[in-house]
Amino acid sequence: MITRVHGGKTPPGITLDFSTPINPLGALEAIHKLVEEAVRLRIYTKYPDYEYQELRQTIASFYGIDKDRVIPLNGAAEGISLAIACLKPDALVVFEPTFGDYRQEAQALGIPIISISYIERVDEYELNIYGAEEISKAVRNLKALVLLSNPNNPTGCYSELRLLKHLAEIFENSAVLIDEAFIELCNECESALSLVKDYENVAVLRSLTKTFSVPGLRIGFLYLDNKKVYEVLEACRQPWNINSLTSFVFSRALTEYASELRKFVEDSRRVIAEERSFLTKSFRELGIEVYRSRAPFILVRHKRFTSRQVNEALTRFGIVVRDASTFTYLTPYHARVSVRLREDNQRLIEAYRVLGIE
Ligand SMILES: Cc1ncc(COP(=O)(O)O)c(C=O)c1O
């Protein structure tokens, strides 16, 4: 039986998917063109370079980081599996509610999970630093892996760099993996990529899938300075983890279209911030609780309707949101709503209004 739960698996008849957390601007024309070129050249009939030398270099140049510390990935999802399966930690420390795959993969491998709950304030979640300090003492003599999503899925809360430095220090004997799948879509968020050189125990995970809206191509990378860990992960990675088509497209896109891509990321952040404000305000006017978010989605809590009932009702309008009850510590009334473009967002709010969803 398949036990994973993710957004983006839209039931028949759904035309407006608010369950997938991704850049709502969609993929750039430059990416479409490169995919077409790759197909025309039948790139897929060749093995990709298993060392991904060119791809590593282009990722490094685009993000201003060191090529020899980059591990290219088949989406950020692969980095989570690699870290958990290949580092074989004695325990996985997670801050929840968060992305379910952390827990799912540890459970599948029989790795004990230590869950630290985020602190829920009136309208936002906050990293529980005191809880983290207590747990860090308890795992001091273990080989633990600390995994944190920033900004966090599904709460949308962002933990500042000073807090991440503090985590790296208190968990000095553990590996600390910071999953920044959504950071490029977060306005005024600082990336932890800069921490890697000063903190040997820190690794950063990034998703180009989310940023450039190509979930079907799948691409991401890990960035870390610890040579021993780097070698373990590199040796454990599947040799051809990124298909030749994706490798071709991104090696070219990140160099030839670098300035266009940078502008796209900037525009995306601005649009997402505006649309998130629109959705937040509109939901609050409907009496629905909304948590403050820095991500391309918001977490809401309905008053009278469970998210399952909300989705049943929204089907009439061809709309689906993510029932967030599967996330640890959340309730049947929580839902994660992806930020889309204005016309779609207005349709969602209108549907809520007509259906009287509270
Ligand atoms: C926190 C987090 N990390 C990683 C991923 C996977 O990203 P990718 O599609 O790049 O594999 C997701 C997908 O939703 C996510 O929410």
Side-chain angles (χ1 to χ4, degrees), residues 14 311-319 354-355:
I14 296 297
N311 271 336
E312 278 164 12
L314 286 175
T315 310
R316 236 181 75 198
F317 290 81
I319 296 176
V354 171
L355 295 164

Side-chain angles (χ1 to χ4, degrees), residues 142-162:
L142 295 180
K143 198 176 80 170
L145 170 64
V146 181
L147 193 30
L148 173 101
S149 147
N150 198 37
N152 184 40
N153 175 8
T155 59
C157 72
Y158 167 75
S159 304
E160 289 176 9
L161 228 46
R162 67 181 170 84

Side-chain angles (χ1 to χ4, degrees), residues 21 75-77 80 99 102 149 153 179 181-182 207 209-210 218-219:
I80 298 161
F99 189 42
Y102 305 162
S149 147
N153 175 8
D179 178 349
F182 300 103
S207 164
T209 305
K210 300 281 186 201
R218 317 215 35 72
I219 180 159

Side-chain angles (χ1 to χ4, degrees), residues 2 67 75 118 152 154 230 239 276 283 315 325 335 343 347:
I2 295 170
K67 166 181 180 280
Y118 274 90
N152 184 40
Y230 181 92
R276 194 174 48 223
F283 273 124
T315 310
S325 62
E343 198 180 311
R347 276 179 62 191

Side-chain angles (χ1 to χ4, degrees), residues 193 215 263 269 279 310 323:
L193 286 172
K263 182 168 181 312
R269 271 192 218 122
L279 280 175
V310 170
D323 175 351

